[in-house]
Amino acid sequence: MKNSSDKFVNASWLVILLFAFSAVFTTTSCQNDEDGGGVPVIHYVRVTDPTLADSTFTDAYPGTMIAIIGENLSGVKEVYINGYEVSFNPTYSTSTSLILSIPVVDEENPDQFQLVGTNPDLPSEIKVVTDHGTATFAFHVLSPAPYITRLAADYPVNPGDELILIGGNFYEIQKIYFSEDSINVSQEVSSYTVNGDYDEITFNAPSTVIDKGYLFVVCYTDTASVAFIRNAPEPEVTGISSTMPVVGSEVTITGQNFMNVTQIDINGEFTISGEDVEVSEAFDELTFIMPQAPAHSGTLSVSTVGGTAELAGKFYPIENVVLDYDEIGSFSWGGDNAPSGAPSVADPTLPPYVSTGNMIGIKATVTTSNQWWFGPIVNNAQWVTTDIIPGSTSISNLEFQFECYIAQEYEGPVMQITLGCDNNAAYTLKDYVPTSAFTGEMEIGHWMQVSIPMDSIVDSATWQDFLNLNNANLGIYLSWPTCSGEELVEFYVDNFRIVPITE
């Protein structure tokens, strides 16, 4: 009995000891979990804004700051996104969260971080390596959204014809399809090729070609679309280098769908054959030489295989001209440094080579001896009557335009332009350097249109208020207040006009 009792007591004590050991082990294990020492796990990713704590996601753009939420995330040694090690601040690391920013792609050092869009072999995941284990989470860093600028094709489009979508960011394409209503899939493109720059998609037209609708490219990040017309889309004119180009100068028209240009009509007076028009590869720009000046203002239109498009506003607004050195307005004095000292027709062997009748220019070297006053051009303008510009028209709705040719680039000298007042008037445009209204730059070696808001030159409230000044002065004065050497200035001007601002 004694031996049995001793065995029972010993066994009892053994159970108690085992229970106590188990309790200690369990307590230690729980304590390790609370301290982040257990198996690391990522539950979700969210933005760092506390008000959006409930918004979780599995996609984000480069540069986004994210919060990785999980457990046992202490002791972080390395973090990888798309297989690339990324930096993080240990200060923003706890056992349940880690804050960091998704890297952006450095174009000069693309090997530092790449997107799955450009390298599909990369793991699309976040990996957190700690001193006690590794956690991974499926996560997609988004490529830039795709866009389409045009569809290159020979019209009309027939089954099997080669088509090229031109745009950008054609990464991770999910589907390409035609749709007549932008909702239902009419015909899916099953085979296509994306070029190495991801800005062109080449494929063949499907067996059934819709007459009119849309062409969609669905990428992982977003969807891009372009209008599709089997017999060619209608052209659109969005801009022109000058609304009153000098005869013999090059004219540029911008827009889209300039496929198979048949002609350009100038105010219904004459046409320019499509054979004499140069069209850009993207069919979004065309150029031609202005052969002659129309006799009246009117409408410029471009005709293509897809239809006809018109330029908004008047082309060659002759009735808005206030000075052209031919029949409208007159030269008064100045211009002594010009090649002829007075208005003249361009010499084909010298800048500006071409002109619309008479023009005037300045060719002068500016030094400290003439830095405050050189090469003035003073004229008598013939202001536009109120039957062309209503007297109630706000000055802020008008624009002062003229054609300008700069023979060579210069820095320092500036213009002062006066309208309806003397040179010493308070309201003049000062410190002006001519730039193209079309490109925003000082263009060298060809005629360009200059456009200046009227309210930056005069202080009248309305056109009638301006006319009430009864002063026909239109002057251009040059100076170089900060003259530090010498500079040759050679420029020519013509066809000054005041026109309504067109949106």
Side-chain angles (χ1 to χ4, degrees):
M1 293 293 294
K2 182 178 180 180
N3 290 337
S4 299
S5 177
D6 288 341
K7 289 180 180 180
F8 178 78
V9 171
N10 290 337
S12 297
W13 277 105
L14 181 60
V15 172
I16 293 172
L17 288 172
L18 288 172
F19 180 79
F21 178 77
S22 175
V24 170
F25 178 80
T26 303
T27 301
T28 302
S29 177
C30 290
Q31 186 66 40
N32 285 339
D33 286 346
E34 292 177 359
D35 292 341
V39 178
V41 178
I42 299 174
H43 292 312
Y44 57 88
V45 174
R46 66 174 177 82
V47 294
T48 55
D49 186 346
T51 62
L52 302 174
D54 295 332
S55 300
T56 64
F57 50 88
T58 56
D59 304 304
Y61 283 103
T64 304
M65 181 176 286
I66 59 174
I68 301 171
I69 309 299
E71 55 184 293
N72 305 323
L73 298 177
S74 61
V76 177
K77 299 172 65 178
E78 299 167 346
V79 179
Y80 296 86
I81 298 179
N82 287 5
Y84 289 88
E85 185 173 359
V86 301
S87 61
F88 66 94
N89 189 337
T91 304
Y92 301 114
S93 175
T94 71
S95 63
T96 58
S97 66
L98 174 64
I99 296 176
L100 53 79
S101 292
I102 300 172
V104 295
V105 178
D106 185 347
E107 298 296 338
E108 297 183 356
N109 300 287
D111 292 337
Q112 292 183 358
F113 185 74
Q114 289 187 18
L115 302 177
V116 175
T118 56
N119 188 351
D121 295 330
L122 295 175
S124 192
E125 66 178 15
I126 295 174
K127 182 168 71 173
V128 178
V129 180
T130 73
D131 56 13
H132 54 278
T134 300
T136 61
F137 184 77
F139 194 84
H140 203 110
V141 182
L142 298 170
S143 299
Y147 63 90
I148 300 172
T149 55
R150 68 182 179 93
L151 173 66
D154 290 329
Y155 293 92
V157 176
N158 296 308
D161 286 354
E162 183 179 84
L163 304 177
I164 302 177
L165 274 171
I166 298 173
N169 303 331
F170 294 138
Y171 305 112
E172 301 176 271
I173 296 175
Q174 312 291 297
K175 184 178 7 179
I176 300 175
Y177 66 93
F178 291 84
S179 173
E180 292 183 329
D181 54 12
S182 76
I183 299 174
N184 299 303
V185 176
S186 300
Q187 186 78 45
E188 187 169 347
V189 176
S190 58
S191 179
Y192 55 85
T193 302
V194 183
N195 70 343
D197 292 328
Y198 299 92
D199 58 6
E200 289 187 3
I201 305 174
T202 303
F203 60 96
N204 295 107
S207 57
T208 301
V209 182
I210 61 176
D211 289 330
K212 186 176 182 180
Y214 305 88
L215 182 55
F216 287 86
V217 176
V218 182
C219 295
Y220 184 95
T221 300
D222 204 351
T223 298
S225 65
V226 64
F228 175 80
I229 299 178
R230 182 174 177 270
N231 291 317
E234 294 184 3
E236 179 183 359
V237 175
T238 57
I240 192 167
S241 54
S242 173
T243 58
M244 205 166 188
V246 168
V247 174
S249 67
E250 184 178 83
V251 183
T252 300
I253 297 176
T254 57
Q256 58 183 356
N257 302 326
F258 295 144
M259 295 93 166
N260 300 336
V261 174
T262 56
Q263 68 173 29
I264 297 175
D265 183 276
I266 305 296
N267 298 353
E269 296 184 30
F270 58 89
T271 61
I272 299 164
S273 170
E275 297 178 354
D276 297 323
V277 178
E278 183 177 341
V279 182
S280 67
E281 184 179 352
F283 302 109
D284 60 356
E285 186 174 281
L286 54 83
T287 57
F288 65 93
I289 301 299
M290 192 69 185
Q292 65 188 74
H296 306 89
S297 65
T299 302
L300 178 147
S301 63
V302 178
S303 296
T304 72
V305 67
T308 299
E310 295 182 349
L311 174 71
K314 290 188 293 186
F315 184 67
Y316 244 78
I318 296 174
E319 60 268 36
N320 291 80
V321 173
V322 298
L323 174 67
D324 66 359
Y325 300 110
D326 291 304
E327 299 177 352
I328 303 173
S330 61
F331 171 69
S332 181
W333 61 275
D336 295 336
N337 294 312
S340 65
S344 61
V345 176
D347 183 337
T349 65
L350 298 172
Y353 306 108
V354 295
S355 64
T356 305
N358 287 319
M359 49 87 196
I360 197 167
I362 291 294
K363 185 176 182 180
T365 298
V366 192
T367 64
T368 53
S369 64
N370 63 351
Q371 69 183 97
W372 295 105
W373 182 271
F374 69 95
I377 304 174
V378 182
N379 312 274
N380 292 310
Q382 180 178 308
W383 302 126
V384 180
T385 59
T386 54
D387 60 333
I388 302 300
I389 299 178
S392 60
T393 303
S394 172
I395 288 294
S396 62
N397 290 331
L398 297 175
E399 200 167 60
F400 180 61
Q401 300 176 352
F402 59 94
E403 301 304 301
C404 182
Y405 183 103
I406 298 177
Q408 63 182 53
E409 190 172 2
Y410 64 86
E411 291 186 17
V414 293
M415 285 184 181
Q416 176 174 316
I417 300 177
T418 64
L419 295 181
C421 57
D422 297 326
N423 177 49
N424 60 357
Y427 292 97
T428 61
L429 177 64
K430 299 179 180 180
D431 301 328
Y432 179 70
V433 177
T435 57
S436 166
F438 188 60
T439 65
E441 301 176 355
M442 177 191 283
E443 297 183 0
I444 308 301
H446 62 87
W447 287 97
M448 64 179 179
Q449 175 179 304
V450 171
S451 299
I452 305 171
M454 277 285 287
D455 57 6
S456 67
I457 308 177
V458 301
D459 66 336
S460 303
T462 66
W463 180 240
Q464 185 62 63
D465 292 337
F466 175 78
L467 294 178
N468 290 343
L469 296 175
N470 292 317
N471 191 324
N473 174 275
L474 190 164
I476 296 179
Y477 308 86
L478 294 98
S479 65
W480 190 6
T482 59
C483 181
S484 57
E486 63 178 38
E487 189 86 15
L488 174 64
V489 178
E490 182 179 5
F491 73 91
Y492 303 87
V493 291
D494 196 7
N495 286 346
F496 295 88
R497 53 201 184 269
I498 297 174
V499 299
I501 295 175
T502 57
E503 298 297 334

